[in-house]
Amino acid sequence: MRVFANLRALFSRGTLHFNSLELRVLRETMRRLDPGSAKRMQRRMEQVNLVQRLEGGEEVNSYQMVGGRPNLDRSTALRSGSGESLLASFSVTCGRGERVAGRIWLVDGVLFSLEFDKPTEGLLDAESLTISVELAPVDAASEGAVAPSET
């Protein structure tokens, strides 16, 4: 079954999982969230089975594919509301001083994409990384964070 999933990701021009840099940024973001939101984000990351990278990793879109179609599991939503919203901004600095900045985006409150300000391929092998994350303010119009009862 795993072979079929690997082939599907390959033909979809993607991979099955986030790469090491993306995982480190997402985990650092989770550390800034309240425990319930962190748990929902972890569940979403585990559901993702197609990660597509564009422009050398500048844009990273993640999908949970179910029956050949993308699925946004609302039980993993970090915020209420619909459409795109910003979850966090971040910067990554490697030991040799190279820096990349980016943002993490939600779609309908669910983790969907990471945007970097330049290609990230050169940072994948960097051993020493410093990651700084700042959560975006919750937009009052979108009613804020998802209530804990929705976990």
Side-chain angles (χ1 to χ4, degrees), residues 73-122:
D73 178 358
R74 293 289 298 168
S75 74
T76 64
L78 302 173
R79 302 230 172 118
S80 59
S82 61
E84 292 183 357
S85 61
L86 181 65
L87 175 64
S89 298
F90 61 86
S91 66
V92 179
T93 306
C94 73
R96 52 186 193 266
E98 187 176 354
R99 184 176 179 275
V100 63
R103 296 179 178 172
I104 300 173
W105 292 94
L106 307 174
V107 169
D108 295 342
V110 178
L111 172 67
F112 179 72
S113 69
L114 291 90
E115 279 182 358
F116 295 87
D117 65 354
K118 58 185 169 185
T120 59
E121 294 165 332

Side-chain angles (χ1 to χ4, degrees), residues 3-141:
V3 172
F4 178 72
N6 284 326
L7 286 173
R8 186 183 75 227
L10 176 66
F11 289 121
S12 300
R13 297 183 187 229
T15 62
L16 292 174
H17 306 287
F18 294 104
N19 67 32
S20 60
L21 173 64
E22 296 154 1
L23 281 173
R24 289 186 65 184
V25 168
L26 292 170
R27 287 182 183 137
E28 191 62 32
T29 303
M30 285 173 48
R31 291 175 34 138
R32 306 288 189 279
L33 297 171
D34 65 84
S37 294
K39 184 177 179 181
R40 288 190 299 276
M41 186 167 169
Q42 179 64 44
R43 215 169 56 241
R44 171 63 180 173
M45 289 167 56
E46 291 167 358
Q47 291 175 339
V48 168
N49 56 8
L50 176 61
V51 179
Q52 293 182 323
R53 293 172 190 85
L54 307 171
E55 305 298 324
E58 281 187 57
E59 182 178 339
V60 179
N61 298 321
S62 63
Y63 303 90
Q64 175 191 21
M65 301 299 289
V66 177
R69 295 178 167 245
N71 179 52
L72 279 178
D73 178 358
R74 293 289 298 168
S75 74
T76 64
L78 302 173
R79 302 230 172 118
S80 59
S82 61
E84 292 183 357
S85 61
L86 181 65
L87 175 64
S89 298
F90 61 86
S91 66
V92 179
T93 306
C94 73
R96 52 186 193 266
E98 187 176 354
R99 184 176 179 275
V100 63
R103 296 179 178 172
I104 300 173
W105 292 94
L106 307 174
V107 169
D108 295 342
V110 178
L111 172 67
F112 179 72
S113 69
L114 291 90
E115 279 182 358
F116 295 87
D117 65 354
K118 58 185 169 185
T120 59
E121 294 165 332
L123 292 177
L124 293 178
D125 296 325
E127 293 183 24
S128 174
L129 294 176
T130 302
I131 300 171
S132 172
V133 175
E134 183 177 332
L135 294 178
V138 177
D139 180 9

